[in-house]
Amino acid sequence: MISLTEGISMVVLVFVAMPLKWIFDLPDMVTYVGWIHGVLFILYILVLFPTSRKLRWSFQNAMFALIAAVLPFGPFLFDRKLRKQEKMLENPQS
């Protein structure tokens, strides 16, 4: 859940707040959305490592989660990967 929320905040920052700042001279949007995104990013990182240990993720999976956090659409790709893994665990014969 935090991954998707952080991803949404990054998309809003890059594709809404930044254009508002540069096109319409509204820098306050970047300040507020950037602050919210920063808090969510830190929360994501703080939750990532305990979660990866608890769920026994591979090193590659944990690193993918970390890298995904800094890409505009990365959290959505990571969530998709997790949903596929979850589906495979629920239905191993599929």
Coordinates of all heavy atoms in Angstrom, one line a residue:
M1 N 0.8 -1.2 0.0 CA 0.0 0.0 0.0 C 0.9 1.3 0.0 O 0.6 2.2 -0.7 CB -0.9 0.0 1.2 CG -2.0 1.0 1.2 SD -3.1 0.8 -0.2 CE -4.6 1.1 0.6
I2 N 1.9 1.3 0.8 CA 2.8 2.4 0.9 C 3.5 2.6 -0.4 O 3.7 3.7 -0.9 CB 3.8 2.4 2.1 CG1 4.5 3.7 2.2 CG2 4.7 1.3 2.0 CD1 3.7 4.9 2.6
S3 N 3.8 1.5 -1.1 CA 4.5 1.6 -2.4 C 3.7 2.3 -3.4 O 4.2 3.2 -4.1 CB 4.9 0.2 -2.9 OG 5.4 0.2 -4.2
L4 N 2.4 1.9 -3.5 CA 1.5 2.6 -4.5 C 1.3 4.0 -4.1 O 1.2 4.9 -5.0 CB 0.2 1.8 -4.6 CG 0.3 0.4 -5.1 CD1 -1.0 -0.3 -5.1 CD2 0.9 0.4 -6.5
T5 N 1.1 4.4 -2.9 CA 0.9 5.7 -2.4 C 2.1 6.6 -2.8 O 2.0 7.7 -3.3 CB 0.6 5.8 -0.9 OG1 -0.5 4.9 -0.6 CG2 0.3 7.2 -0.5
E6 N 3.3 6.0 -2.5 CA 4.6 6.8 -2.8 C 4.7 6.9 -4.3 O 5.1 8.0 -4.8 CB 5.8 6.0 -2.3 CG 7.1 6.7 -2.4 CD 7.8 6.4 -3.7 OE1 7.6 5.4 -4.3 OE2 8.7 7.3 -4.0
G7 N 4.3 5.9 -5.1 CA 4.3 6.0 -6.6 C 3.4 7.1 -7.1 O 3.8 7.8 -8.0
I8 N 2.2 7.1 -6.5 CA 1.3 8.2 -7.0 C 1.8 9.5 -6.6 O 1.7 10.5 -7.5 CB -0.1 7.9 -6.3 CG1 -0.8 6.7 -6.9 CG2 -1.0 9.1 -6.5 CD1 -2.0 6.2 -6.1
S9 N 2.4 9.7 -5.5 CA 2.9 11.0 -5.1 C 4.1 11.4 -6.1 O 4.2 12.6 -6.4 CB 3.4 11.0 -3.7 OG 4.6 10.3 -3.5
M10 N 4.9 10.5 -6.5 CA 5.9 10.8 -7.4 C 5.4 11.2 -8.8 O 5.9 12.2 -9.4 CB 6.9 9.7 -7.6 CG 8.1 10.0 -8.5 SD 9.5 8.9 -8.1 CE 10.8 9.8 -9.0
V11 N 4.4 10.5 -9.3 CA 3.7 10.8 -10.5 C 3.1 12.2 -10.5 O 3.3 13.0 -11.4 CB 2.7 9.8 -10.9 CG1 1.9 10.2 -12.1 CG2 3.4 8.5 -11.3
V12 N 2.4 12.5 -9.4 CA 1.8 13.9 -9.2 C 2.9 14.9 -9.1 O 2.8 16.0 -9.8 CB 1.0 13.9 -7.9 CG1 0.5 15.3 -7.6 CG2 -0.2 13.0 -8.1
L13 N 4.0 14.6 -8.5 CA 5.1 15.6 -8.4 C 5.7 15.9 -9.8 O 5.9 17.0 -10.2 CB 6.2 15.1 -7.4 CG 7.5 15.9 -7.3 CD1 7.1 17.3 -6.7 CD2 8.5 15.2 -6.4
V14 N 6.0 14.8 -10.5 CA 6.7 15.0 -11.8 C 5.8 15.5 -12.9 O 6.2 16.4 -13.7 CB 7.4 13.7 -12.2 CG1 7.9 13.7 -13.6 CG2 8.5 13.3 -11.2
F15 N 4.5 15.0 -12.9 CA 3.7 15.3 -14.1 C 2.6 16.4 -13.8 O 1.9 16.8 -14.7 CB 3.0 14.0 -14.6 CG 4.0 13.1 -15.2 CD1 4.4 11.9 -14.5 CD2 4.6 13.3 -16.4 CE1 5.3 11.0 -15.0 CE2 5.6 12.4 -16.9 CZ 5.9 11.3 -16.2
V16 N 2.5 16.8 -12.5 CA 1.5 17.8 -12.2 C 2.2 19.0 -11.6 O 2.1 20.1 -12.1 CB 0.3 17.3 -11.3 CG1 -0.6 18.4 -10.9 CG2 -0.4 16.1 -11.9
A17 N 2.8 18.8 -10.5 CA 3.4 19.9 -9.7 C 4.6 20.6 -10.5 O 4.6 21.8 -10.5 CB 3.9 19.4 -8.3
M18 N 5.4 19.8 -11.1 CA 6.6 20.4 -11.8 C 6.1 21.3 -13.0 O 6.5 22.4 -13.2 CB 7.6 19.4 -12.3 CG 8.3 18.7 -11.1 SD 9.3 19.9 -10.2 CE 10.6 20.3 -11.3
P19 N 5.1 20.7 -13.8 CA 4.6 21.6 -14.9 C 3.9 22.9 -14.4 O 4.0 23.9 -15.0 CB 3.6 20.7 -15.7 CG 4.2 19.3 -15.4 CD 4.7 19.4 -14.0
L20 N 3.2 22.7 -13.3 CA 2.6 23.9 -12.7 C 3.6 25.0 -12.3 O 3.4 26.2 -12.4 CB 1.7 23.5 -11.5 CG 0.4 22.8 -11.8 CD1 -0.3 22.4 -10.6 CD2 -0.5 23.8 -12.6
K21 N 4.7 24.5 -11.8 CA 5.8 25.4 -11.4 C 6.4 26.1 -12.6 O 6.5 27.3 -12.5 CB 6.9 24.6 -10.6 CG 8.1 25.5 -10.3 CD 9.2 24.7 -9.6 CE 10.4 25.5 -9.3 NZ 11.4 24.8 -8.6
W22 N 6.7 25.4 -13.6 CA 7.5 25.9 -14.7 C 6.6 26.6 -15.7 O 7.0 27.6 -16.4 CB 8.4 24.9 -15.4 CG 9.4 24.4 -14.4 CD1 9.5 23.2 -13.8 CD2 10.5 25.2 -14.0 NE1 10.6 23.2 -13.0 CE2 11.3 24.4 -13.1 CE3 11.0 26.5 -14.2 CZ2 12.4 24.8 -12.4 CZ3 12.2 26.9 -13.6 CH2 12.9 26.1 -12.7
I23 N 5.4 26.1 -15.9 CA 4.5 26.7 -17.0 C 3.7 27.8 -16.4 O 3.5 28.9 -17.0 CB 3.6 25.6 -17.6 CG1 4.5 24.6 -18.3 CG2 2.6 26.2 -18.6 CD1 3.7 23.3 -18.8
F24 N 3.1 27.6 -15.2 CA 2.2 28.6 -14.6 C 2.8 29.4 -13.5 O 2.1 30.1 -12.8 CB 0.9 27.9 -14.2 CG 0.2 27.3 -15.4 CD1 0.2 25.9 -15.5 CD2 -0.5 28.1 -16.3 CE1 -0.5 25.3 -16.6 CE2 -1.2 27.5 -17.3 CZ -1.1 26.1 -17.5
D25 N 4.1 29.2 -13.2 CA 4.8 29.9 -12.1 C 4.1 29.7 -10.8 O 3.8 30.7 -10.0 CB 4.9 31.4 -12.5 CG 6.0 32.1 -11.6 OD1 6.9 31.4 -11.1 OD2 5.8 33.3 -11.4
L26 N 3.8 28.4 -10.4 CA 3.2 28.1 -9.2 C 4.1 27.2 -8.4 O 3.9 26.0 -8.3 CB 1.8 27.4 -9.4 CG 0.8 28.2 -10.1 CD1 -0.4 27.4 -10.4 CD2 0.3 29.3 -9.1
P27 N 5.2 27.7 -7.8 CA 6.2 26.9 -7.2 C 5.7 26.2 -5.9 O 6.3 25.2 -5.4 CB 7.4 27.9 -6.9 CG 6.7 29.2 -6.8 CD 5.6 29.1 -7.8
D28 N 4.7 26.8 -5.3 CA 4.2 26.2 -4.0 C 3.7 24.7 -4.2 O 3.9 23.9 -3.2 CB 3.0 27.0 -3.4 CG 3.5 28.4 -2.9 OD1 4.7 28.5 -2.7 OD2 2.6 29.2 -2.7
M29 N 3.2 24.4 -5.3 CA 2.8 23.0 -5.6 C 4.0 22.0 -5.4 O 3.8 21.0 -4.8 CB 2.2 22.9 -6.9 CG 0.8 23.5 -7.1 SD -0.4 22.9 -5.9 CE -0.6 21.2 -6.5
V30 N 5.1 22.4 -5.9 CA 6.3 21.5 -5.8 C 6.7 21.4 -4.3 O 7.1 20.4 -3.9 CB 7.4 22.0 -6.7 CG1 8.7 21.3 -6.4 CG2 7.1 21.9 -8.2
T31 N 6.6 22.5 -3.6 CA 7.0 22.5 -2.2 C 6.1 21.5 -1.4 O 6.6 20.7 -0.7 CB 6.8 23.9 -1.6 OG1 7.7 24.8 -2.3 CG2 7.2 23.9 -0.1
Y32 N 4.8 21.6 -1.6 CA 3.9 20.8 -0.8 C 3.9 19.3 -1.3 O 4.0 18.4 -0.5 CB 2.4 21.4 -0.9 CG 2.3 22.8 -0.3 CD1 1.8 23.8 -1.0 CD2 2.8 23.0 1.0 CE1 1.7 25.1 -0.5 CE2 2.7 24.3 1.5 CZ 2.2 25.3 0.8 OH 2.1 26.6 1.4
V33 N 3.8 19.2 -2.6 CA 3.8 17.8 -3.1 C 5.1 17.1 -2.9 O 5.2 16.0 -2.6 CB 3.4 17.8 -4.6 CG1 3.4 16.3 -5.2 CG2 1.9 18.3 -4.8
G34 N 6.2 17.9 -3.1 CA 7.5 17.4 -2.8 C 7.7 17.0 -1.4 O 8.3 15.9 -1.1
W35 N 7.2 17.7 -0.5 CA 7.3 17.4 1.0 C 6.6 16.1 1.3 O 7.1 15.2 2.0 CB 6.8 18.6 1.8 CG 7.0 18.4 3.3 CD1 8.2 18.7 3.9 CD2 6.1 17.8 4.2 NE1 8.0 18.4 5.3 CE2 6.8 17.9 5.5 CE3 4.9 17.3 4.1 CZ2 6.2 17.4 6.6 CZ3 4.3 16.8 5.3 CH2 4.9 16.9 6.5
I36 N 5.4 16.0 0.7 CA 4.5 14.8 1.0 C 5.2 13.6 0.3 O 5.3 12.5 1.0 CB 3.1 15.0 0.4 CG1 2.4 16.0 1.2 CG2 2.4 13.7 0.3 CD1 1.1 16.5 0.5
H37 N 5.8 13.8 -0.9 CA 6.5 12.7 -1.5 C 7.7 12.3 -0.7 O 8.0 11.1 -0.6 CB 6.9 13.1 -2.9 CG 7.8 12.1 -3.6 ND1 7.3 10.8 -3.9 CD2 9.1 12.1 -3.9 CE1 8.4 10.1 -4.4 NE2 9.4 10.9 -4.4
G38 N 8.4 13.2 -0.2 CA 9.6 12.9 0.6 C 9.3 12.1 1.8 O 10.0 11.1 2.2
V39 N 8.2 12.5 2.5 CA 7.8 11.7 3.7 C 7.4 10.3 3.3 O 7.8 9.3 4.0 CB 6.7 12.5 4.4 CG1 6.0 11.6 5.5 CG2 7.2 13.8 5.0
L40 N 6.6 10.2 2.3 CA 6.2 8.9 1.8 C 7.4 8.0 1.4 O 7.4 6.8 1.6 CB 5.2 9.0 0.7 CG 3.8 9.5 1.1 CD1 3.0 9.8 -0.1 CD2 3.1 8.5 2.0
F41 N 8.4 8.6 0.7 CA 9.6 7.9 0.3 C 10.3 7.4 1.5 O 10.7 6.2 1.5 CB 10.5 8.8 -0.6 CG 11.7 8.1 -1.0 CD1 11.7 7.2 -2.1 CD2 12.9 8.3 -0.4 CE1 12.8 6.6 -2.5 CE2 14.1 7.7 -0.8 CZ 14.0 6.8 -1.9
I42 N 10.5 8.2 2.5 CA 11.2 7.8 3.7 C 10.5 6.6 4.4 O 11.0 5.6 4.8 CB 11.5 8.9 4.6 CG1 12.5 9.9 4.0 CG2 12.0 8.5 6.0 CD1 12.7 11.2 4.7
L43 N 9.2 6.8 4.5 CA 8.3 5.7 5.1 C 8.4 4.4 4.3 O 8.6 3.3 4.9 CB 6.9 6.2 5.1 CG 5.9 5.3 5.8 CD1 6.3 5.1 7.3 CD2 4.5 5.9 5.8
Y44 N 8.4 4.5 3.0 CA 8.6 3.4 2.1 C 9.9 2.6 2.4 O 9.9 1.4 2.5 CB 8.5 3.8 0.6 CG 8.8 2.7 -0.4 CD1 7.7 1.8 -0.7 CD2 10.0 2.5 -1.0 CE1 7.9 0.8 -1.6 CE2 10.2 1.5 -1.9 CZ 9.2 0.7 -2.2 OH 9.4 -0.3 -3.2
I45 N 11.0 3.4 2.5 CA 12.3 2.8 2.7 C 12.3 2.2 4.1 O 12.9 1.1 4.3 CB 13.4 3.9 2.6 CG1 13.5 4.4 1.2 CG2 14.8 3.3 3.0 CD1 13.7 3.4 0.1
L46 N 11.7 2.8 5.1 CA 11.7 2.3 6.5 C 10.9 1.0 6.5 O 11.2 0.1 7.3 CB 11.1 3.3 7.4 CG 12.0 4.5 7.7 CD1 11.3 5.5 8.6 CD2 13.3 4.1 8.4
V47 N 9.9 0.9 5.7 CA 9.0 -0.3 5.7 C 9.6 -1.4 4.8 O 9.4 -2.6 5.0 CB 7.6 0.0 5.2 CG1 6.8 -1.2 4.9 CG2 6.9 0.9 6.2
L48 N 10.4 -1.0 3.8 CA 10.9 -2.0 2.8 C 11.7 -3.1 3.4 O 11.5 -4.3 3.2 CB 11.7 -1.2 1.7 CG 12.4 -2.1 0.7 CD1 11.4 -2.9 -0.1 CD2 13.3 -1.3 -0.2
F49 N 12.7 -2.7 4.2 CA 13.7 -3.8 4.7 C 13.1 -4.7 5.7 O 13.2 -5.9 5.5 CB 14.9 -3.1 5.1 CG 15.7 -2.4 4.0 CD1 15.7 -1.0 3.9 CD2 16.3 -3.2 3.0 CE1 16.4 -0.4 2.8 CE2 16.9 -2.6 2.0 CZ 17.0 -1.2 1.9
P50 N 12.3 -4.3 6.7 CA 11.7 -5.2 7.5 C 10.7 -6.2 6.8 O 10.6 -7.3 7.1 CB 10.9 -4.4 8.6 CG 11.5 -3.1 8.5 CD 12.1 -2.9 7.1
T51 N 10.0 -5.6 5.8 CA 9.0 -6.4 5.0 C 9.7 -7.4 4.2 O 9.3 -8.6 4.1 CB 8.2 -5.4 4.1 OG1 7.5 -4.5 4.9 CG2 7.2 -6.2 3.3
S52 N 10.9 -7.0 3.6 CA 11.6 -8.0 2.8 C 12.1 -9.1 3.6 O 12.2 -10.3 3.2 CB 12.7 -7.3 2.0 OG 13.7 -6.8 2.9
R53 N 12.5 -8.9 4.8 CA 13.0 -9.9 5.7 C 11.8 -10.8 6.2 O 11.9 -12.1 6.1 CB 13.7 -9.3 7.0 CG 15.1 -9.0 6.7 CD 15.8 -8.7 8.1 NE 15.1 -7.6 8.7 CZ 15.5 -6.4 8.8 NH1 16.7 -6.1 8.3 NH2 14.9 -5.5 9.4
K54 N 10.7 -10.2 6.5 CA 9.6 -11.0 7.0 C 9.0 -11.9 5.9 O 8.6 -13.0 6.2 CB 8.5 -10.0 7.5 CG 7.3 -10.7 8.1 CD 6.3 -9.7 8.6 CE 5.1 -10.5 9.2 NZ 4.1 -9.6 9.8
L55 N 9.0 -11.4 4.7 CA 8.4 -12.2 3.6 C 9.5 -13.0 2.9 O 9.2 -13.7 1.9 CB 7.8 -11.2 2.6 CG 6.6 -10.4 3.1 CD1 6.0 -9.5 2.0 CD2 5.5 -11.4 3.6
R56 N 10.7 -12.9 3.4 CA 11.8 -13.7 2.9 C 12.1 -13.5 1.4 O 12.2 -14.4 0.6 CB 11.7 -15.2 3.2 CG 11.6 -15.5 4.6 CD 11.4 -16.9 4.9 NE 11.2 -17.0 6.4 CZ 11.4 -18.1 7.0 NH1 11.8 -19.2 6.4 NH2 11.2 -18.1 8.4
W57 N 12.0 -12.2 1.0 CA 12.3 -11.9 -0.4 C 13.8 -12.2 -0.7 O 14.6 -12.0 0.1 CB 12.1 -10.4 -0.7 CG 10.6 -10.0 -0.7 CD1 9.5 -10.8 -0.7 CD2 10.1 -8.6 -0.7 NE1 8.4 -10.0 -0.7 CE2 8.7 -8.7 -0.7 CE3 10.7 -7.4 -0.7 CZ2 7.9 -7.6 -0.8 CZ3 10.0 -6.3 -0.7 CH2 8.6 -6.4 -0.8
S58 N 14.0 -12.5 -2.0 CA 15.4 -12.6 -2.4 C 16.1 -11.2 -2.4 O 15.4 -10.2 -2.4 CB 15.4 -13.2 -3.8 OG 14.8 -12.3 -4.8
F59 N 17.4 -11.2 -2.5 CA 18.1 -10.0 -2.6 C 17.7 -9.2 -3.8 O 17.5 -8.0 -3.8 CB 19.6 -10.3 -2.6 CG 20.5 -9.0 -2.8 CD1 20.7 -8.2 -1.7 CD2 21.0 -8.7 -4.0 CE1 21.4 -7.0 -1.8 CE2 21.8 -7.5 -4.1 CZ 22.0 -6.7 -3.0
Q60 N 17.5 -9.9 -5.0 CA 17.1 -9.3 -6.2 C 15.7 -8.6 -6.1 O 15.5 -7.5 -6.6 CB 17.0 -10.3 -7.4 CG 18.4 -10.7 -7.8 CD 18.9 -11.9 -7.0 OE1 18.2 -12.4 -6.1 NE2 20.1 -12.4 -7.3
N61 N 14.8 -9.3 -5.4 CA 13.5 -8.7 -5.2 C 13.5 -7.4 -4.3 O 12.9 -6.4 -4.6 CB 12.5 -9.8 -4.5 CG 11.1 -9.7 -5.0 OD1 10.8 -9.2 -6.1 ND2 10.2 -10.2 -4.3
A62 N 14.3 -7.5 -3.3 CA 14.4 -6.3 -2.4 C 15.1 -5.2 -3.1 O 14.7 -4.0 -3.0 CB 15.2 -6.7 -1.1
M63 N 16.1 -5.5 -4.0 CA 16.8 -4.4 -4.7 C 15.8 -3.8 -5.8 O 15.8 -2.6 -6.1 CB 18.1 -4.9 -5.4 CG 19.2 -5.1 -4.4 SD 19.7 -3.6 -3.6 CE 18.9 -3.8 -2.0
F64 N 15.0 -4.7 -6.4 CA 14.0 -4.2 -7.4 C 13.1 -3.2 -6.7 O 12.7 -2.2 -7.3 CB 13.3 -5.4 -8.0 CG 12.3 -5.0 -9.1 CD1 12.7 -4.3 -10.2 CD2 11.0 -5.3 -9.0 CE1 11.8 -3.9 -11.2 CE2 10.1 -5.0 -10.0 CZ 10.5 -4.2 -11.1
A65 N 12.7 -3.6 -5.5 CA 11.8 -2.7 -4.7 C 12.4 -1.4 -4.4 O 11.8 -0.3 -4.5 CB 11.3 -3.4 -3.4
L66 N 13.7 -1.4 -4.1 CA 14.4 -0.2 -3.8 C 14.6 0.7 -5.1 O 14.4 1.9 -5.0 CB 15.8 -0.5 -3.2 CG 16.7 0.6 -2.7 CD1 16.0 1.4 -1.6 CD2 18.0 0.1 -2.2
I67 N 15.0 0.1 -6.2 CA 15.2 0.8 -7.4 C 13.8 1.3 -7.9 O 13.7 2.4 -8.4 CB 15.9 -0.1 -8.5 CG1 17.3 -0.4 -8.0 CG2 15.8 0.5 -9.9 CD1 18.0 -1.5 -8.8
A68 N 12.8 0.5 -7.8 CA 11.5 1.0 -8.2 C 11.0 2.2 -7.5 O 10.2 3.0 -8.1 CB 10.4 -0.2 -8.0
A69 N 11.5 2.4 -6.3 CA 11.0 3.6 -5.5 C 11.5 4.9 -6.1 O 10.9 6.0 -5.9 CB 11.5 3.5 -4.1
V70 N 12.6 4.9 -6.9 CA 13.1 6.1 -7.5 C 12.7 6.4 -9.0 O 13.1 7.4 -9.5 CB 14.6 6.2 -7.4 CG1 15.0 6.2 -5.9 CG2 15.3 5.1 -8.1
L71 N 11.9 5.4 -9.5 CA 11.5 5.6 -10.9 C 10.0 6.0 -10.9 O 9.2 5.5 -10.1 CB 11.6 4.2 -11.7 CG 13.0 3.6 -11.7 CD1 13.0 2.3 -12.3 CD2 13.9 4.6 -12.5
P72 N 9.6 6.9 -11.8 CA 8.3 7.5 -11.8 C 7.2 6.4 -11.8 O 6.2 6.5 -11.1 CB 8.2 8.3 -13.0 CG 9.6 8.8 -13.2 CD 10.4 7.6 -12.8
F73 N 7.3 5.3 -12.5 CA 6.3 4.3 -12.6 C 6.8 3.0 -11.9 O 6.1 2.0 -12.0 CB 5.8 4.0 -14.0 CG 5.1 5.2 -14.6 CD1 5.8 6.1 -15.4 CD2 3.8 5.6 -14.2 CE1 5.2 7.2 -16.0 CE2 3.2 6.7 -14.8 CZ 3.9 7.5 -15.6
G74 N 7.9 3.0 -11.3 CA 8.5 1.8 -10.7 C 7.7 1.2 -9.6 O 7.5 -0.1 -9.7
P75 N 7.0 1.9 -8.7 CA 6.2 1.2 -7.7 C 5.1 0.4 -8.3 O 4.7 -0.6 -7.8 CB 5.7 2.3 -6.8 CG 6.8 3.4 -6.9 CD 7.2 3.3 -8.4
F76 N 4.5 0.9 -9.4 CA 3.4 0.2 -10.1 C 3.9 -1.1 -10.7 O 3.2 -2.1 -10.7 CB 2.7 1.1 -11.1 CG 2.3 2.4 -10.5 CD1 3.0 3.6 -10.9 CD2 1.3 2.5 -9.6 CE1 2.6 4.8 -10.4 CE2 1.0 3.7 -9.0 CZ 1.6 4.9 -9.4
L77 N 5.1 -1.0 -11.3 CA 5.7 -2.3 -11.9 C 6.0 -3.3 -10.8 O 5.8 -4.5 -11.0 CB 7.0 -1.9 -12.7 CG 6.8 -1.0 -13.9 CD1 8.1 -0.6 -14.5 CD2 5.9 -1.7 -14.9
F78 N 6.5 -2.8 -9.7 CA 6.9 -3.7 -8.6 C 5.6 -4.3 -8.0 O 5.6 -5.5 -7.7 CB 7.7 -2.9 -7.5 CG 8.1 -3.8 -6.4 CD1 9.0 -4.8 -6.6 CD2 7.6 -3.6 -5.1 CE1 9.4 -5.7 -5.6 CE2 8.0 -4.5 -4.1 CZ 8.9 -5.5 -4.3
D79 N 4.6 -3.5 -7.8 CA 3.3 -4.1 -7.3 C 2.8 -5.2 -8.3 O 2.3 -6.2 -7.8 CB 2.3 -3.0 -7.2 CG 1.0 -3.5 -6.6 OD1 1.0 -3.9 -5.4 OD2 0.0 -3.5 -7.3
R80 N 2.9 -4.9 -9.6 CA 2.5 -5.9 -10.5 C 3.3 -7.2 -10.4 O 2.7 -8.3 -10.4 CB 2.6 -5.3 -11.9 CG 2.1 -6.2 -13.0 CD 2.2 -5.5 -14.3 NE 2.0 -6.4 -15.5 CZ 2.3 -6.1 -16.7 NH1 2.9 -5.0 -17.0 NH2 2.0 -7.0 -17.6
K81 N 4.6 -7.1 -10.2 CA 5.4 -8.2 -10.0 C 5.0 -9.0 -8.7 O 4.9 -10.2 -8.7 CB 6.9 -7.8 -9.9 CG 7.8 -9.0 -9.7 CD 9.3 -8.5 -9.5 CE 10.2 -9.7 -9.2 NZ 11.5 -9.3 -9.1
L82 N 4.8 -8.3 -7.7 CA 4.3 -8.9 -6.4 C 3.0 -9.7 -6.6 O 2.8 -10.8 -6.0 CB 4.2 -7.9 -5.3 CG 5.5 -7.4 -4.7 CD1 5.3 -6.4 -3.6 CD2 6.4 -8.5 -4.2
R83 N 2.1 -9.1 -7.3 CA 0.8 -9.7 -7.5 C 0.9 -11.0 -8.3 O 0.3 -12.0 -8.1 CB -0.2 -8.8 -8.2 CG -0.6 -7.6 -7.3 CD -1.6 -6.7 -7.9 NE -1.9 -5.6 -7.2 CZ -2.8 -5.5 -6.2 NH1 -3.5 -6.6 -5.8 NH2 -2.9 -4.4 -5.5
K84 N 1.8 -11.0 -9.3 CA 2.1 -12.2 -10.1 C 2.7 -13.3 -9.2 O 2.3 -14.5 -9.3 CB 3.1 -11.9 -11.3 CG 2.4 -11.2 -12.4 CD 3.4 -11.1 -13.6 CE 2.8 -10.4 -14.7 NZ 3.7 -10.2 -15.8
Q85 N 3.7 -12.9 -8.3 CA 4.3 -13.9 -7.4 C 3.2 -14.4 -6.5 O 3.2 -15.6 -6.2 CB 5.4 -13.2 -6.6 CG 6.6 -12.9 -7.5 CD 7.7 -12.2 -6.7 OE1 7.5 -11.8 -5.5 NE2 8.9 -12.1 -7.3
E86 N 2.4 -13.6 -6.0 CA 1.3 -14.0 -5.0 C 0.4 -15.0 -5.7 O 0.0 -16.0 -5.2 CB 0.5 -12.8 -4.5 CG -0.5 -13.1 -3.5 CD -1.2 -11.9 -3.0 OE1 -1.5 -11.0 -3.9 OE2 -1.5 -11.8 -1.8
K87 N 0.0 -14.7 -7.0 CA -0.9 -15.6 -7.7 C -0.2 -16.9 -7.9 O -0.9 -18.0 -7.8 CB -1.2 -14.9 -9.1 CG -2.3 -15.6 -9.8 CD -2.7 -14.7 -11.0 CE -3.9 -15.3 -11.7 NZ -4.3 -14.5 -12.8
M88 N 1.1 -16.9 -8.2 CA 1.8 -18.2 -8.4 C 1.9 -19.0 -7.2 O 1.8 -20.2 -7.2 CB 3.2 -17.9 -9.0 CG 3.2 -17.5 -10.4 SD 4.9 -17.1 -11.0 CE 5.7 -18.6 -10.8
L89 N 2.0 -18.4 -6.0 CA 2.0 -19.1 -4.8 C 0.7 -19.7 -4.4 O 0.6 -20.7 -3.8 CB 2.5 -18.1 -3.6 CG 4.0 -17.7 -3.7 CD1 4.2 -16.7 -2.6 CD2 4.9 -19.0 -3.5
E90 N -0.4 -18.9 -4.8 CA -1.7 -19.4 -4.5 C -2.1 -20.6 -5.4 O -2.8 -21.5 -5.0 CB -2.8 -18.3 -4.7 CG -2.7 -17.3 -3.6 CD -3.6 -16.1 -3.8 OE1 -4.2 -16.0 -4.9 OE2 -3.6 -15.2 -3.0
N91 N -1.7 -20.6 -6.7 CA -2.0 -21.6 -7.7 C -0.7 -22.1 -8.3 O -0.4 -21.8 -9.4 CB -2.9 -21.0 -8.8 CG -4.2 -20.5 -8.2 OD1 -4.8 -21.1 -7.4 ND2 -4.6 -19.3 -8.7
P92 N 0.1 -23.0 -7.6 CA 1.4 -23.4 -8.1 C 1.3 -24.2 -9.4 O 2.2 -24.2 -10.2 CB 1.9 -24.2 -7.0 CG 0.8 -24.5 -6.0 CD -0.2 -23.5 -6.3
Q93 N 0.1 -24.9 -9.7 CA 0.0 -25.6 -10.9 C -0.3 -24.8 -12.1 O -0.1 -25.3 -13.3 CB -1.1 -26.7 -10.8 CG -2.5 -26.2 -10.6 CD -2.9 -25.9 -9.2 OE1 -2.0 -25.9 -8.3 NE2 -4.1 -25.8 -9.0
S94 N -0.7 -23.5 -12.0 CA -1.0 -22.7 -13.1 C 0.3 -22.2 -13.8 O 1.2 -21.8 -13.3 CB -1.8 -21.5 -12.7 OG -3.0 -21.9 -12.1

